[in-house]
């Protein structure tokens, strides 16, 4: 992990920092790099362009930490409309859905008292039922470690009805190797990422090399299993390791995916898309603050670029 990451993630939790970041016009330029737009009218042309370049997509309607039921219901309504819009773009698919939605259970009400996990599970069930009809996949994002048990509980419960439902695992968590073993069974779709939240050393590896090693161990388990690994990283070392494991295990290009975030390593995305399944995670919506600060924290150069722009315009 870069040494500034925890500092940036901690600072981003301050309401003052939020006011500064969201209140300046220059932020809009940075947001545009990582976020496809505020509404579906801006999102859909971006999705069309990505699909036309042989890349598949997973769309995230930005929002997290929903605090009231009405907000959770509004999120479900937006996802239902989104799934319908994506169905129209799906085209011929074979076994792999060209379009997918990524969902945070905290946006579906997971934190609501007293029965948040049950509310989120029911809301996700509604989305999955619509997704089946539309031929669109769903994958559940991973949030901070206090939610991991509840999130994987929801995924396991719904997989009985929707075996294609995907889940994200974070290699920086000590528990993830065991989770990979448990979830690498037939048809299980697992998106493996490094992890983007600020986590204590009691539950997560802190050093970059430790996270990379954990990712490699987890990837080996997933590639050796019977599921469908989704290799979500921009790290050249891990992409190369995935390519080697694919060759060793004899997986065809239809039995795993490379995945990257919208706005990051576009040329590499196109290279991978030429001979593999390559999916781009595309966020949209007005609630971009949490997403943006995680992207800034991953790469201090992004923050430097942002601060330089802020100073030069002020
Ligand atoms: P690393 O951070 O080491 O980056 C490797 C290289 O990629 C960098 O050297 C740079 O070139 C480029 N790069 C990476 N991040 C960049 C950035 N922000 N700006 C510019 N360049 C950048 N996390 C989570 O906790 N829960 C989740 O559900 C998800 N979901 C998810 C889906 C998908 C499809 C991806 C690709 C990632 C996630 N993540 C996530 C985020 C993930 O945990 C991680 O924080 C980022 O992917 C960055 O880690 P890398 O593996 O890319 O390595």
């Amino acid at each position: 992990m870069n040494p500034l990451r925890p500092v940036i993630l901690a600072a981003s939790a301050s309401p003052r920092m939020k006011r500064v970041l969201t209140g300046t016009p220059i932020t809009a330029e940075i947001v545009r790099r990582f976020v496809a737009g505020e509404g579906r009218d801006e999102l859909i042309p971006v999705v069309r362009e990505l699909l036309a370049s042989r890349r598949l997509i997973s769309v995230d309607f930005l929002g997290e930490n929903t605090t009231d039921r009405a907000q959770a219901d509004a999120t479900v309504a937006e996802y239902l409309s989104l799934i319908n819009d994506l169905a129209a773009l799906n085209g011929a698919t074979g076994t792999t859905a060209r379009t997918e939605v990524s969902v945070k259970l905290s946006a579906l009400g997971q934190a609501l008292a007293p029965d948040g996990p049950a509310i989120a599970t029911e809301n996700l069930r509604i989305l999955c039922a619509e997704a089946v009809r539309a031929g669109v996949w769903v994958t559940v994002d991973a949030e901070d470690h206090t939610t991991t048990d509840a999130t994987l509980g929801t995924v396991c419960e719904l997989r009985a009805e929707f075996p294609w439902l995907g889940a994200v695992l974070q290699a920086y968590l000590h528990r993830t190797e065991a989770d990979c073993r448990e979830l690498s069974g037939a048809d299980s779709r697992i998106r493996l990422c490094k992890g983007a939240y600020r986590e204590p050393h009691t539950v997560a590896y802190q050093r970059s090399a430790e996270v990379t090693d954990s990712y490699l161990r987890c990837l080996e388990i997933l590639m050796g299993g019977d599921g469908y690994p989704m290799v979500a990283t921009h790290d050249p070392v891990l992409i190369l390791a995935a390519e080697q494991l694919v060759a060793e295990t004899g997986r065809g290009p239809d039995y795993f995916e490379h995945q990257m975030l919208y706005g990051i390593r576009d040329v590499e995305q196109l290279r991978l898309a030429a001979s593999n399944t390559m999916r781009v995670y595309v966020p949209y919506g007005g609630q971009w603050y949490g997403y943006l600060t995680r992207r800034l924290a991953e790469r201090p150069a992004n923050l430097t670029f942002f601060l330089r722009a802020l100073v030069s315009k002020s």
Side-chain angles (χ1 to χ4, degrees), residues 223-278:
M223 287 287 185
D226 298 321
Y228 184 88
M230 301 183 279
V231 186
T233 182
H234 315 89
D235 186 335
V237 170
L238 296 177
I239 292 167
L240 188 62
E243 285 170 343
Q244 282 164 354
L245 282 166
V246 163
E248 278 166 29
T249 55
R251 271 179 190 271
D254 291 341
Y255 295 92
F256 77 102
E257 291 184 4
H258 288 287
Q259 299 191 338
M260 292 191 189
L261 302 176
Y262 176 66
I264 300 180
R265 300 204 70 197
D266 203 55
V267 173
E268 177 67 354
Q269 289 183 15
L270 291 169
R271 181 190 77 84
L272 290 168
S275 49
N276 297 283
T277 306
M278 167 79 226

Side-chain angles (χ1 to χ4, degrees), residues 75-85 126-127 130-131:
T75 300
V76 171
E78 176 65 25
Y79 266 109
L80 290 175
S81 302
L82 171 64
I83 288 168
N84 264 303
D85 286 357
I126 293 168
L127 299 188
E130 185 65 8

Side-chain angles (χ1 to χ4, degrees), residues 167-282:
V168 178
L169 296 179
Q170 298 152 313
Y172 65 11
L173 293 183
H174 300 154
R175 59 177 286 167
T176 296
E177 225 179 305
D179 287 335
C180 283
R181 256 187 217 101
E182 200 170 320
L183 294 167
S184 61
D187 298 331
S188 173
R189 289 197 312 119
I190 294 296
R191 172 182 296 158
L192 182 64
C193 68
K194 285 186 180 174
Y197 294 78
R198 185 168 164 246
E199 299 288 14
H201 65 89
T202 45
V203 300
Y205 300 110
Q206 306 290 315
R207 291 185 27 242
S208 179
E210 289 174 322
V211 177
T212 302
D213 285 350
S214 172
Y215 195 110
L216 287 169
R217 291 194 298 274
C218 293
L219 190 60
E220 208 166 320
I221 294 166
L222 295 178
M223 287 287 185
D226 298 321
Y228 184 88
M230 301 183 279
V231 186
T233 182
H234 315 89
D235 186 335
V237 170
L238 296 177
I239 292 167
L240 188 62
E243 285 170 343
Q244 282 164 354
L245 282 166
V246 163
E248 278 166 29
T249 55
R251 271 179 190 271
D254 291 341
Y255 295 92
F256 77 102
E257 291 184 4
H258 288 287
Q259 299 191 338
M260 292 191 189
L261 302 176
Y262 176 66
I264 300 180
R265 300 204 70 197
D266 203 55
V267 173
E268 177 67 354
Q269 289 183 15
L270 291 169
R271 181 190 77 84
L272 290 168
S275 49
N276 297 283
T277 306
M278 167 79 226
R279 194 178 298 272
V280 184
Y281 183 103
V282 189

